[in-house]
Amino acid sequence: NPKLEYETLGTEEILLAVSPSHPLSAGFPDLHHIEDSYPRITWDKLEGENLILHFPEQTTGAITERLLAKHHIHPRVPFYTRNTQAALLLVQENQGICFAPETYIRSMTFQKPPVCFSLGDEEAFTATTLAYRKGAYLSPYSLDFIQKEKKYFNNYTNNNVGGTCND
């Protein structure tokens, strides 16, 4: 829209979250023990897995739907949810695996932290963008909010692997 200005607050990867007791996680560190980058998973390993998915009208659901089609993966889907936290709690209990934005995963507290995998696909990212009226006055509060959100994304995405929201 030409009447709006846009500012990207941050981008983040959509990760695959797996219970530490799931066979796919064997030999990989959990979320809190990642030192450099998330291990990459090959798409063929997802074939036939139980995936807890977001509805396709949600950003994560739409991205996931495109990626599964692109990579010709036909998972079992026991159910869909609109709640990322619920999906991740089900993963914790090994009820399936799910895709979730990195900041959701890194900002949650888990009894059993998941093993997270990078999908190795440039389309497995999402951006959070702020839009405001072009030329509009932004109060100090608004400017502070923008800076805090940019810092949040910088601190809690792969730019700072291994950190948590409590750092």
Side-chain angles (χ1 to χ4, degrees):
N1 185 330
K3 294 182 180 182
L4 294 177
E5 289 193 41
Y6 300 92
E7 189 161 354
T8 299
L9 300 177
T11 59
E12 63 184 312
E13 188 172 6
I14 304 295
L15 300 172
L16 178 71
V18 179
S19 167
S21 57
H22 190 284
L24 287 175
S25 68
F28 293 101
D30 70 34
L31 173 68
H32 298 303
H33 294 95
I34 294 291
E35 293 184 20
D36 187 21
S37 62
Y38 297 102
R40 186 173 170 192
I41 193 160
T42 57
W43 284 90
D44 61 316
K45 292 190 177 179
L46 303 184
E47 187 65 46
E49 286 290 338
N50 286 333
L51 279 177
I52 302 159
L53 296 178
H54 289 85
F55 285 95
E57 63 269 11
Q58 293 175 267
T59 301
T60 302
I63 292 169
T64 300
E65 188 175 74
R66 280 193 310 271
L67 289 169
L68 291 171
K70 175 182 175 181
H71 294 280
H72 310 289
I73 302 301
H74 305 91
R76 290 187 300 265
V77 182
F79 60 88
Y80 287 86
T81 181
R82 296 186 193 287
N83 188 314
T84 301
Q85 184 175 6
L88 289 166
L89 290 173
L90 288 166
V91 165
Q92 180 177 269
E93 298 304 318
N94 204 20
Q95 297 299 306
I97 61 180
C98 78
F99 298 98
E102 184 179 16
T103 56
Y104 276 78
I105 297 169
R106 304 251 333 259
S107 64
M108 281 184 62
T109 301
F110 295 97
Q111 290 176 349
K112 297 178 268 182
V115 172
C116 295
F117 293 95
S118 172
L119 301 170
D121 190 305
E122 66 277 354
E123 294 177 34
F125 286 81
T126 185
T128 299
T129 304
L130 178 69
Y132 50 90
R133 216 175 38 228
K134 193 174 271 186
Y137 167 75
L138 294 177
S139 68
Y141 173 81
S142 298
L143 295 171
D144 188 46
F145 171 80
I146 291 169
Q147 291 311 308
K148 285 183 184 211
E149 287 304 303
K150 286 181 176 181
K151 183 178 177 185
Y152 174 84
F153 275 98
N154 186 53
N155 288 339
Y156 306 121
T157 60
N158 202 18
N159 297 321
N160 184 25
V161 170
T164 65
C165 288
N166 297 322
D167 288 347

